[in-house]
Amino acid sequence: MQPLAFEVNGFKDYFLNLTPENNKRNPWFVEFWEQQFRCKYPGSSWTPYNDMFNATCSGRERLSPGKFEMEAQLQFVSDATMSFAHALSVSSL
Protein backbone atom coordinates (compact mmCIF):
# COMPACT_ATOMS: atom_id res chain seq x y z
CA MET A 1 0.00 0.00 0.00
CA GLN A 2 1.25 3.48 -0.80
CA PRO A 3 -0.17 7.00 -0.86
CA LEU A 4 -2.03 8.11 -3.97
CA ALA A 5 0.40 9.97 -6.19
CA PHE A 6 -0.13 11.77 -9.49
CA GLU A 7 2.27 12.24 -12.37
CA VAL A 8 4.18 15.54 -12.33
CA ASN A 9 3.02 17.44 -15.43
CA GLY A 10 5.73 17.70 -18.06
CA PHE A 11 8.38 15.71 -16.17
CA LYS A 12 8.14 12.54 -18.26
CA ASP A 13 8.62 14.50 -21.52
CA TYR A 14 11.48 16.46 -19.96
CA PHE A 15 13.21 13.32 -18.69
CA LEU A 16 12.77 11.34 -21.91
CA ASN A 17 14.47 14.14 -23.85
CA LEU A 18 17.58 14.20 -21.64
CA THR A 19 20.92 13.04 -23.04
CA PRO A 20 24.46 13.29 -21.68
CA GLU A 21 25.00 16.15 -24.16
CA ASN A 22 22.13 18.30 -22.86
CA ASN A 23 22.31 17.30 -19.18
CA LYS A 24 25.76 18.39 -18.01
CA ARG A 25 24.52 19.61 -14.61
CA ASN A 26 23.89 16.10 -13.25
CA PRO A 27 27.26 14.42 -12.62
CA TRP A 28 25.66 10.96 -12.33
CA PHE A 29 23.62 11.07 -15.52
CA VAL A 30 26.39 9.53 -17.65
CA GLU A 31 26.52 6.57 -15.24
CA PHE A 32 22.75 6.21 -15.51
CA TRP A 33 23.07 6.36 -19.31
CA GLU A 34 25.77 3.69 -19.38
CA GLN A 35 23.74 1.39 -17.15
CA GLN A 36 20.53 1.99 -19.11
CA PHE A 37 22.11 1.23 -22.50
CA ARG A 38 24.86 -1.13 -21.29
CA CYS A 39 27.62 0.77 -23.02
CA LYS A 40 30.66 2.89 -22.07
CA TYR A 41 30.13 6.59 -22.80
CA PRO A 42 33.07 8.17 -24.68
CA GLY A 43 35.29 10.12 -22.29
CA SER A 44 33.57 8.91 -19.13
CA SER A 45 35.63 7.86 -16.13
CA TRP A 46 36.15 4.20 -15.34
CA THR A 47 33.82 2.89 -12.67
CA PRO A 48 33.21 -0.62 -11.34
CA TYR A 49 29.79 -0.38 -12.99
CA ASN A 50 30.89 0.44 -16.55
CA ASP A 51 33.89 -1.90 -16.56
CA MET A 52 31.74 -4.76 -17.84
CA PHE A 53 30.45 -2.87 -20.91
CA ASN A 54 32.41 -3.67 -24.06
CA ALA A 55 30.23 -1.59 -26.37
CA THR A 56 30.75 2.15 -26.79
CA CYS A 57 27.71 4.41 -26.57
CA SER A 58 26.99 5.95 -29.96
CA GLY A 59 25.27 9.09 -28.72
CA ARG A 60 22.16 8.17 -30.72
CA GLU A 61 20.58 6.19 -27.87
CA ARG A 62 17.31 7.64 -26.62
CA LEU A 63 15.24 7.00 -23.52
CA SER A 64 11.81 5.58 -24.17
CA PRO A 65 8.82 5.04 -21.86
CA GLY A 66 8.97 1.23 -22.12
CA LYS A 67 12.60 0.98 -20.96
CA PHE A 68 12.10 2.13 -17.37
CA GLU A 69 9.40 3.05 -14.91
CA MET A 70 9.05 6.53 -13.44
CA GLU A 71 9.14 6.72 -9.65
CA ALA A 72 5.54 6.91 -8.45
CA GLN A 73 6.42 9.12 -5.48
CA LEU A 74 8.02 11.89 -7.58
CA GLN A 75 5.03 14.13 -6.90
CA PHE A 76 5.97 14.32 -3.21
CA VAL A 77 9.51 15.45 -4.02
CA SER A 78 8.10 18.13 -6.30
CA ASP A 79 5.58 19.24 -3.66
CA ALA A 80 8.27 19.45 -0.97
CA THR A 81 10.55 21.49 -3.25
CA MET A 82 7.75 23.90 -4.15
CA SER A 83 6.80 24.27 -0.46
CA PHE A 84 10.38 25.07 0.47
CA ALA A 85 10.69 27.61 -2.36
CA HIS A 86 7.42 29.25 -1.31
CA ALA A 87 8.59 29.44 2.31
CA LEU A 88 11.81 31.12 1.20
CA SER A 89 9.97 33.66 -0.92
CA VAL A 90 7.52 34.49 1.90
CA SER A 91 10.29 34.82 4.51
CA SER A 92 12.18 37.34 2.37
CA LEU A 93 9.21 39.74 2.30
Side-chain angles (χ1 to χ4, degrees):
M1 183 179 294
Q2 67 182 14
L4 179 61
F6 298 99
E7 189 173 299
V8 176
N9 290 335
F11 184 76
K12 186 182 283 186
D13 291 334
Y14 163 77
F15 191 78
L16 291 176
N17 285 302
L18 289 177
T19 66
E21 291 85 28
N22 67 14
N23 188 18
K24 301 283 188 204
R25 66 188 181 108
N26 183 339
W28 300 285
F29 192 75
V30 169
E31 287 184 36
F32 164 77
W33 196 264
E34 290 175 331
Q35 186 67 35
Q36 187 70 29
F37 296 107
R38 308 194 54 75
C39 58
K40 173 87 169 64
Y41 196 76
S44 69
S45 301
W46 174 88
T47 69
Y49 304 105
N50 68 12
D51 186 45
M52 66 186 108
F53 303 139
N54 296 324
T56 301
C57 299
S58 68
R60 293 186 305 272
E61 300 87 8
R62 291 295 173 257
L63 297 171
S64 62
K67 295 276 187 180
F68 66 95
E69 186 175 331
M70 289 283 185
E71 172 58 51
Q73 306 303 315
L74 184 62
Q75 172 197 356
F76 302 115
V77 175
S78 175
D79 289 349
T81 303
M82 294 300 285
S83 297
F84 188 75
H86 178 71
L88 286 176
S89 69
V90 171
S91 70
S92 67
L93 295 176

